[in-house]
Each structure stands twice: as C-alpha cells, then as structure tokens.
Amino acid sequence: MHTFLYVKCNFFVHSHCADSSDSPSPPLSFPTFTMDRPLLRRMSASGCCSYSTLKAWLPILSWLPRYKLKWLQMDLLAGITVGLTTVPQALAYAEVAGLPVQYGLYSAFMGGFIYTLLGTSKDVTLGPTAIMSLLCFSVVGGQPHRAVLLTLLCGLIQAVMALLRLGFLLDFISFPVIKGFTCAAAVTIGFGQVKNILGLKDVPHQFFLEVYYTFYKIPEARIGDVVLGLLCLAVLVMLMFMKMGLGSEDVPPCSRLARKLVWAVTTMRNALVVVAASLVAFSWDAYGHHVFTITGKTSQGLPPFRPPPTSDTMANGTVVSFGEIVEDFGGGLAVIPIMGLLESIAIAKAFASQNDYRIDANQELLAIGVTNIMGSFVSAYPVTGSFGRTAVNSQTGVCSPAGGIVTSVIVLLSLEFLMPVFYYIPKACLAAVIICAVAPMVDYHVVANMWRIRKLDLLPFVVTFLMSFWQVQYGIIAGVAVSGAMLLYNMARPQIKVSDHGVLVMELSSGLSFPATEHLSHIIHTQALQVSLPRSVVLDCHHVSVIDYTVISELRDLLRQFKLRDVQLVFSRLQPSVLEVLLAADLQGLRHTDSVEAALQMEGSCLNRTTEKTQENLGNLWNS
C-alpha cells in the first residue's frame, strides 16, 4: 500500500533574474512548503524518507537543480556587496556585545552556509545585529565563553520550537511591545557609543549610570577621538542621504552609470569610512602620535571548530558549573531566542511580500536554530536576520540564498588575512557606524500613529520602552505581561450589544470563553432577571465559535433561572460546532433558532399567548 504526501508549493520569481529569451520552462523557483497535516501524521516509514519530504526540510533541493549560470553573476555581486557591509558592522557589533572584535566576525559567516541549505527567503542574511548584541551583553556581561554557550542553548531552543511547530507563540508579542523594545534598544546602543566618540574610559554599562558618567567625564574627552568620530558621523550621514536621494533608474545611459557608481559608494559607506579612518590612525601612529583610541590586538586566523564550553573559570580560579551558568542567564535564555526569531521572521516576511514570494515560518525557525547551534562550535554569539544587510542584498538583485555563501567567504578571508589590519581601526569610527545603524530604529512616528488609532496600545509600548532602560529582558517581559493582561481582559469582558425588541436581544461582539461567563451572567441578571418584570432574552451567538464546560454549566443555571421566572432564553444563529456541544450537554429548556428574526417571532407568539391567558384569567375573576 502506497502513501502519498501532498505538498503545496509557492514560488518566487525575481525581476532581476528573469530570462525571457530562454525556453518556456519556468524560471528558477524557490518554494515554501505547507504540508497536509493529517496525511503527514499517517505517513509510513518509507514516506518519511521520500524525496518530497527531504525537499521540505532542505529547500535548497528545490531551487538548486534549476539554478542558471546567469544568476551566478547577480549572486556574486550581491554577496560581495553584503560582505563589504558585514565586516565593519560585525566588528562594531562585537563592541556592543562587550566582546573582542573578532567575535563579531566569528558570528558572521556560519549563517551564510546554513541558510543556503535551510532558508526559504532569497534575501535574508543571518549574522550579528545591534539588538542581539545588546541582549547578549545584558545576559553574559561581555564574557566570551558564556556568550558561546548562550549561542548553543538559544539554537537548541529555536530548533526545538521549529520541530514542535511552536512558531505561533511569537504571535503573542504585540507590535507595541516590539516597537517599544527596538526604540529603547536604539537609544541604549546609540548613547552607549557616545563614550567611544569622546574617547572616555571606565564608564559603567548600566544605562542610567552610563548617562551620568558620560556627562561627568566630558572634560576628559580626547580631541582626536572627538574630531575623528564626528567626521565619520558626518560622512556616513551624508552618504546615507545621498543614497536616499537617488532617483529612479529611468535615466539616460551616462546618468545611469553615475547613479550606479553613487549607489555602490553609498552602499559600501561603512567599509569605506572604516578603511579611511584606519589609514588615518595608522599614519598618526607611525609618526609616534597616539591621538586615537584604537581597537588593538586581535586574534588572527579562523576560530577552532570545537564544542562550546559547558563550564567557566573565574579570575580567582573558581569553576562555575553548567547549571550555575544557566541559572545566571535567567530570563535572557527565553528572551534572546524569541527576539531572534521575531526579528528574522519579520524581516523575511517583509521582503517576501516586497518581492512577491512566500516563506515558511517554521522552516525559518529551524534555519536560525541550526545556525546558532553550529555557530557555537566556531565561537559565535547569538545571531538573527539583519534588516540593513538584507535590504542591501535585495537591492543588489540577489537571485538565490547562494549569495550568502559569497558573503561568508569574504568574512572568512578577512579573518584569515586582515586581522592585523583591524588593529588600527579607531573605536570612534566603529561607534559612528553603530550610531548610524541604530538611528533609524527610533521610530517616533509610531507613537503618533498609536495615539491616533488606539491610545490604549501606548500602554505596553511605554512600559516596554521605560523598563528596557533598566534591564532589556525585563522590558520585554513587562511589555508582554501588560499586553497579555489587556488581551485577557478583552476575553473576560467582551462587548455585549443589548437592544430592545419587546424582548431583549443580546449580541456577543466576540467569542464566549470561560473567563467571560461571569460577565455575561451579570448582564443577563441585571437587565432581564432581576428587574420588576422579568424579560425574555434572545442571545445572538453568531460570533461564538468555541464553547467549553464552564460556559455550559453557567448556561444550565441561567436556563433554570429563566424557567423559574416564566420567561425564555433563546439562542440564535449558533455555529454547528457550538450547537452540537449544547445538544450533547442535554440542557433542559434549550431553545434555538437560525436567525434573530425567527427568535423574535417565537417570543412574540409566546408573549401573545401569555397576554391572552392573563386577560382570560382576569375576565373569569371579574365574572365571579
């Protein structure tokens, strides 16, 4: 007996990579997969090993057989461009994480190889980012061994979430919480680099102390660092605005060439500024003038491939066990994997929508998880998708995830041959790169939009924003808690629209779950049962799709209360699944109709019969 697996494929076609001159065969496609779950559960052992199933877990098998040589040019160009952006950013983000600069490069190459095999977006690039660097520092405090162990644990958590299809948990982190966190992170990271612009030392890392001591130590600022840092900032900002001001590609050939040249320079602005600043620092240092604070000695060569350490040794010789390290990680061990997944999937969805293809969220979870697991063997700290580098990748016209391999090779070459050159990179220059990278994350427009659309959403935003200055992970946890409380309140207190048609019609504006039963019972008692003349009620259940045992128990009691007062409770517009549960509960006196109008007619007839009977009784009493 054969078992068949149904796989639904969605393909992307990128405009830069289409070749109209080829045969009618479809261009290179990059599918995502949605499996029919009942069939998946019934698959036999042989079905589990089928080629279709293998393609679902390894998306590279879907697009690599159709790869065209013409696409190689675009992937090479994109990979080189992103690589020249990645190297200076990785060095800078290692500073944010409180780690030696080479750890930024250690974290920047594994993602390109793994994502090529497992990723479902052609645009996404995985590597160190400002937010993950800040989160890493908040948890490990700049200790390299612990950062590497954190990478392994984060990868395991992310991979398990992918295998168990737990990606839906990310939906419980609301947009205001994400925006509150990213805005606070941008302010924290940006201001944390002011001390490097000024050339200050021995400034605490805790945000409020950092603000105080930065201003307190301004008289100790080094003129060389200040001048170089501000000059780098000015050049980066100027180049960024030049890129934003580029017009459309519909221009004469000569102008098109100039436009491409300007685009190339502005896109690689970080690398160009770092190289120029390093040459300046080297020149001054060669003449014996140490006017800049430089990066200093770094480890040369590729990192050894070895398992991450499961214990740590303190400066005084004390050995810290694995359990103690995990205990020290605390809530960060939950926050970092989730924020990494959230950031990367949001980026993947944004560019999939922009370039008209689909991604598989759970496969993305797996790709990030495996990247972090394998990265921990080469001394990487936790990584995720980078919005800036992904944008560069997309704009350069990448045609497949293979562009990430080129980027990774550039990082590896930098580790092998360029580490001695990085000795002369001024810290003020890296600080300027970081400030320009995080500045767009301060999205003040979102505050005005939330105020205009729904003011209550500012509450989790403000809580997350303010708490993140104390401890980053606590800010996220507090924001999620506030959002969860608001969500639970809406579930427990659904809006009930009451209208009077001779009988009361109560329409539930949302579902009816067990937290809402007490609220519904209170409304019915105060408006129908505990008045001088009890009234019948028609309950419009059109929006109720799920009902549980607690609700059934409350409805049974309400039906009894209505019967004692000689009035009716009628259910209308019940969903078939809800009606099935009510009938299975065998509620005495249950009455239901297909529409509110039918329920009103039913109650009108009952009311007329009751009125006639009352008049007849009064007449008999009068005659007697």
Side-chain angles (χ1 to χ4, degrees):
M1 178 175 153
H2 298 282
T3 302
F4 294 94
L5 172 66
Y6 168 71
V7 182
K8 182 172 69 178
C9 304
N10 302 100
F11 302 94
F12 77 70
V13 179
H14 195 275
S15 59
H16 288 283
C17 309
D19 187 356
S20 57
S21 63
D22 287 346
S23 60
S25 61
L28 177 60
S29 55
F30 195 46
T32 62
F33 299 92
T34 305
M35 296 189 185
D36 185 276
R37 292 183 180 178
L39 284 177
L40 183 61
R41 287 193 293 265
R42 295 196 300 268
M43 282 195 308
S44 63
S46 60
C48 289
C49 301
S50 68
Y51 184 65
S52 297
T53 307
L54 190 60
K55 286 199 299 183
W57 290 102
L58 291 173
I60 187 175
L61 298 177
S62 298
W63 57 265
L64 186 59
R66 301 184 182 184
Y67 196 83
K68 300 176 183 178
L69 189 61
K70 185 176 179 180
W71 291 43
L72 183 60
Q73 176 186 355
M74 300 304 299
D75 286 343
L76 283 172
L77 177 61
I80 293 172
T81 306
V82 174
L84 293 175
T85 305
T86 299
V87 171
Q89 281 194 346
L91 297 171
Y93 290 150
E95 288 278 335
V96 176
L99 302 171
V101 292
Q102 65 266 22
Y103 279 84
L105 296 178
Y106 294 165
S107 308
F109 67 83
M110 187 60 74
F113 296 115
I114 300 297
Y115 197 82
T116 300
L117 297 172
L118 302 177
T120 62
S121 169
K122 69 179 183 62
D123 299 301
V124 168
T125 62
L126 299 182
T129 65
I131 287 179
M132 293 303 287
S133 301
L134 176 64
L135 286 170
C136 180
F137 176 78
S138 69
V139 173
V140 303
Q143 301 180 63
H145 287 179
R146 295 198 177 192
V148 174
L149 179 58
L150 177 65
T151 305
L152 174 64
L153 297 178
C154 288
L156 290 173
I157 292 171
Q158 291 165 334
V160 169
M161 289 181 66
L163 295 174
L164 297 179
R165 302 283 174 177
L166 297 179
F168 71 91
L169 294 176
L170 303 179
D171 298 336
F172 288 94
I173 302 180
S174 65
F175 182 79
V177 172
I178 297 171
K179 276 298 178 183
F181 165 69
T182 54
C183 288
V187 173
T188 303
I189 295 169
F191 191 85
Q193 298 307 309
V194 172
K195 62 179 182 289
N196 290 328
I197 294 283
L198 299 176
L200 302 178
K201 296 182 179 179
D202 300 323
V203 176
H205 291 286
Q206 205 281 332
F207 180 74
F208 297 108
L209 292 176
E210 189 175 48
V211 172
Y212 174 78
Y213 278 100
T214 297
F215 285 105
Y216 180 78
K217 292 192 172 188
I218 283 181
E220 302 176 17
R222 297 172 55 125
I223 299 300
D225 287 326
V226 173
V227 172
L228 183 63
L230 293 178
L231 185 61
C232 290
L233 267 177
V235 172
L236 287 170
V237 171
M238 180 188 70
L239 291 175
M240 184 171 61
F241 278 106
M242 285 178 63
K243 184 175 182 179
M244 294 169 58
L246 288 176
S248 64
E249 295 185 3
D250 188 18
V251 292
C254 56
S255 300
R256 191 178 307 152
L257 180 62
R259 182 186 182 280
K260 287 183 177 180
L261 180 61
V262 172
W263 182 88
V265 170
T266 55
T267 298
M268 294 182 288
R269 60 186 179 273
N270 290 335
L272 295 176
V273 167
V274 169
V275 169
S278 300
L279 289 174
V280 171
F282 174 76
S283 302
W284 282 85
D285 195 70
Y287 285 98
H289 302 292
H290 306 292
V291 296
F292 305 113
T293 304
I294 57 178
T295 299
K297 186 176 180 180
T298 57
S299 298
Q300 184 177 358
L302 302 179
F305 189 86
R306 62 189 178 194
T310 55
S311 62
D312 197 9
T313 303
M314 306 298 289
N316 58 7
T318 304
V319 177
V320 184
S321 67
F322 174 77
E324 291 173 321
I325 295 175
V326 172
E327 186 178 350
D328 289 341
F329 287 164
L333 200 54
V335 170
I336 292 180
I338 291 177
M339 289 307 299
L341 296 175
L342 200 64
E343 188 176 0
S344 188
I345 290 176
I347 292 168
K349 286 183 176 179
F351 282 89
S353 175
Q354 175 180 312
N355 294 324
D356 196 24
Y357 62 89
R358 297 283 303 279
I359 66 156
D360 183 337
N362 274 296
Q363 186 67 24
E364 291 292 303
L365 302 190
L366 183 64
I368 301 168
V370 174
T371 296
N372 278 321
I373 291 173
M374 297 304 297
S376 68
F377 285 80
V378 291
S379 302
Y381 68 88
V383 301
T384 185
S386 165
F387 186 86
R389 296 194 294 274
T390 299
V392 171
N393 206 26
S394 177
Q395 292 166 4
T396 313
V398 70
C399 293
S400 77
I405 296 178
V406 181
T407 299
S408 297
V409 169
I410 289 177
V411 175
L412 290 172
L413 292 174
S414 300
L415 278 167
E416 185 65 30
F417 301 108
L418 298 181
M419 291 307 290
V421 178
F422 297 154
Y423 177 92
Y424 293 99
I425 296 178
K427 288 193 172 184
C429 172
L430 293 179
V433 170
I434 294 170
I435 291 172
C436 287
V438 300
M441 291 163 52
V442 184
D443 188 2
Y444 57 89
H445 296 291
V446 74
V447 178
N449 290 336
M450 282 191 283
W451 177 265
R452 187 179 69 253
I453 296 170
R454 188 171 183 261
K455 296 179 178 61
L456 193 59
D457 283 334
L458 284 172
L459 180 59
F461 173 88
V462 171
V463 169
T464 305
F465 182 78
L466 296 179
M467 289 287 289
S468 293
F469 291 122
W470 175 38
Q471 282 287 343
V472 176
Q473 59 265 38
Y474 293 162
I476 299 171
I477 293 171
V480 171
V482 171
S483 293
M486 293 168 58
L487 178 65
L488 292 175
Y489 181 82
N490 290 331
M491 291 176 60
R493 295 294 181 267
Q495 292 185 353
I496 300 176
K497 180 181 178 182
V498 181
S499 55
D500 194 340
H501 298 270
V503 296
L504 293 179
V505 176
M506 297 187 179
E507 179 183 358
L508 295 165
S509 60
S510 59
L512 181 60
S513 54
F514 68 89
T517 54
E518 184 61 33
H519 178 61
L520 174 63
S521 179
H522 175 74
I523 297 292
I524 291 176
H525 273 86
T526 54
Q527 299 201 26
L529 296 178
Q530 294 178 356
V531 294
S532 55
L533 290 176
R535 306 183 65 181
S536 294
V537 172
V538 174
L539 199 60
D540 187 352
C541 302
H542 178 64
H543 297 292
V544 179
S545 58
V546 179
I547 200 168
D548 56 42
Y549 187 80
T550 304
V551 177
I552 292 292
S553 300
E554 188 64 34
L555 292 178
R556 179 177 282 110
D557 182 65
L558 284 173
L559 286 169
R560 185 176 60 84
Q561 295 291 337
F562 272 89
K563 184 177 180 181
L564 289 175
R565 290 164 175 78
D566 199 24
V567 286
Q568 300 292 330
L569 175 61
V570 181
F571 299 87
S572 70
R573 299 206 290 178
L574 290 166
Q575 301 282 351
S577 58
V578 175
L579 178 58
E580 183 180 354
V581 174
L582 291 176
L583 294 174
D586 193 22
L587 298 176
Q588 293 185 1
L590 175 65
R591 304 175 70 188
H592 60 91
T593 63
D594 294 333
S595 65
V596 175
E597 291 76 13
L600 292 175
Q601 291 177 3
M602 179 189 297
E603 286 303 307
S605 301
C606 292
L607 183 61
N608 290 335
R609 287 197 298 271
T610 302
T611 303
E612 291 173 0
K613 186 174 181 180
T614 302
Q615 290 176 348
E616 181 181 350
N617 291 337
L618 288 173
N620 293 336
L621 182 63
W622 176 260
N623 292 332
S624 62

